[in-house]
Every structure is written in structure tokens, then in C-alpha cells.
């Protein structure tokens, strides 16, 4: 399955949050994301990602291991995604390091998740802040087979427009790149 997703900067957070709340309640969570790569950074160079995510909510904590293949839609940055829940993130971290992978970057995301249906598709909208980055982002996604990617992205884009997000607000910049750039800025060390 392809993660048909668009990401945008949110200019009017209160308005977007109100529009999302009218579709269902938001669920807060904190994501602790660690991205891994080979020592030669081949995964990143090829546009692939390997992430270990620990999600903390009021209901508890769970961890997911996610592998994303290279982008199949350049405009949106959508990628085939494979994800599984893991019982012990520490064990997975040891295994990944034992296989020769290294930590590319680790950071925290504060998220407010909304699940709803639009045009017959189950969507997940996430309002995101990353403490190291300025502003608030929205990620809107659905899963689709590659044969339905264009249609799925159309639903995602139309729904973003309904929420007050314009095409000018869209971005394909990855949090990993933005956080790494922030950490390597002169004067921060």
C-alpha cells in the first residue's frame, strides 16, 4: 500500500483545529522518532526510510517499526510504507545497530490526531509541532494501492482545501532534513 499523504504548514491553527474538531475529536500523542541509515547513508540517498517510533498517549505507550520505499509520486512525496508494531523498542534498536545501521536522527513530535471519512476514504489528519522547528504542520493521509494513488491524493488535497489549507501551504520537506539542518546551523553548538 502507498501512504497517500500531503503535508502543509498551517497558517491559522485555531481555524484548522476547529474545522478538524467538527469532523471528530482530536487525540493528543507524543511521537519519539528515531531514523536509521547504513553508514554510507545509502537509504537516505535512495529516498528510503527506516524509523522506530514510540507513541505515548493517555492510554499508554506502543512502538512501531516502519520502512518506507523511495517516493512514487514526486509532487506529494508519497511512498510505499510497511509498518509493524514491536513489543520492545530497545531490542529493535539493538538489532538494528547489530546489523550495522546507525542513528541518522532522533526527535520528538507533538501530535493531535483526527480520524474521519471524506469522499468514502478513511483519513488521518495530524496537527504536528516539532519543538526544534517553527510553526505547526498538518499531515493528511490515507492508504491506497498504487493504482488508486491519483484518486486518493485528490481526496486528500480536496479535504485540505476544505480545512483552509491552500496549495501554496504544501511542503515536501521532511522533518528529518529540517531537524538536521537546525542542529547544524552555525552558533548552535
Amino acid at each position: 500500500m502507498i501512504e497517500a499523504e500531503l503535508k502543509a504548514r498551517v497558517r491559522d491553527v485555531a481555524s484548522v483545529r476547529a474545522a478538524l474538531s467538527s469532523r471528530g475529536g482530536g487525540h493528543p500523542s507524543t511521537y519519539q522518532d528515531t531514523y536509521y541509515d547504513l553508514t554510507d547513508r545509502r537509504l537516505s540517498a535512495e529516498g528510503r526510510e527506516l524509523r522506530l517510533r514510540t507513541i505515548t498517549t493517555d492510554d499508554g505507550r506502543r512502538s512501531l517499526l516502519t520502512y518506507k520505499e523511495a517516493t512514487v509520486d514526486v509532487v506529494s512525496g508519497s511512498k510505499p510504507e510497511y509498518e509493524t508494531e514491536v513489543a520492545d523498542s530497545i531490542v529493535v534498536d539493538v538489532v538494528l545497530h547489530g546489523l550495522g545501521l546507525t542513528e541518522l536522527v532522533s526527535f520528538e513530535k507533538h501530535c493531535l490526531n483526527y480520524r474521519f471519512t471524506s469522499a468514502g476514504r478513511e483519513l488521518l489528519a495530524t496537527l504536528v509541532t516539532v519543538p526544534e522547528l517553527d510553526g505547526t504542520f498538518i499531515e493528511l493521509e490515507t492508504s491506497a494501492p498504487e493504482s488508486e494513488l491519483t484518486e486518493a491524493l485528490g481526496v486528500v488535497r480536496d479535504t485540505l482545501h476544505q480545512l483552509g489549507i491552500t496549495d501554496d501551504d504544501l511542503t515536501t520537506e521532511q522533518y528529518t532534513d529540517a531537524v538536521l539542518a537546525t542542529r547544524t546551523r552555525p552558533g548552535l553548538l
Side-chain angles (χ1 to χ4, degrees):
M1 289 296 253
I2 308 292
E3 178 188 56
E5 176 182 25
L6 292 172
K7 177 174 140 186
R9 287 194 169 271
V10 179
R11 296 179 195 279
D12 184 348
V13 176
S15 175
V16 171
R17 185 177 288 149
L20 287 168
S21 294
S22 73
R23 296 171 182 252
H27 301 283
S29 58
T30 301
Y31 297 178
Q32 182 60 50
D33 288 350
T34 302
Y35 287 80
Y36 298 84
D37 207 335
L38 299 166
T39 54
D40 63 3
R41 300 253 171 120
R42 187 171 60 224
L43 294 178
S44 296
E46 295 173 355
R48 298 184 292 153
E49 300 173 55
L50 183 62
R51 177 186 69 214
L52 182 58
R53 169 176 283 169
T54 299
I55 302 169
T56 305
T57 66
D58 291 340
D59 297 330
R61 179 179 276 194
R62 67 188 185 111
S63 295
L64 302 169
L65 181 64
T66 306
Y67 170 68
K68 295 184 182 188
E69 293 181 358
T71 300
V72 295
D73 182 79
V74 177
V75 174
S76 67
S78 294
K79 300 178 173 194
E81 179 178 304
Y82 307 91
E83 189 166 76
T84 189
E85 191 160 354
V86 297
D88 189 333
S89 62
I90 295 171
V91 170
V92 172
D93 179 73
V94 169
V95 169
L96 294 175
H97 280 102
L99 292 171
L101 286 101
T102 60
E103 184 179 308
L104 176 66
V105 66
S106 184
F107 58 91
E108 190 172 272
K109 291 169 56 175
H110 300 272
C111 301
L112 194 52
N113 295 302
Y114 298 85
R115 292 188 183 276
F116 56 91
T117 302
S118 182
R121 289 204 169 269
E122 295 294 320
L123 298 177
L124 171 62
T126 305
L127 287 176
V128 177
T129 58
V130 176
E132 294 175 76
L133 305 178
D134 291 331
T136 299
F137 299 86
I138 185 170
E139 302 169 10
L140 187 60
E141 67 184 70
T142 189
S143 293
E146 193 164 356
S147 62
E148 296 176 16
L149 181 59
T150 300
E151 174 197 335
L153 285 170
V155 171
V156 169
R157 185 180 306 276
D158 290 346
T159 304
L160 282 173
H161 291 166
Q162 294 166 16
L163 296 171
I165 303 295
T166 69
D167 287 346
D168 290 339
D169 299 324
L170 296 176
T171 181
T172 57
E173 182 178 33
Q174 296 184 15
Y175 298 116
T176 52
D177 294 337
V179 168
L180 285 169
T182 298
R183 291 180 183 174
T184 58
R185 241 187 257 150
L188 291 180
L189 300 177

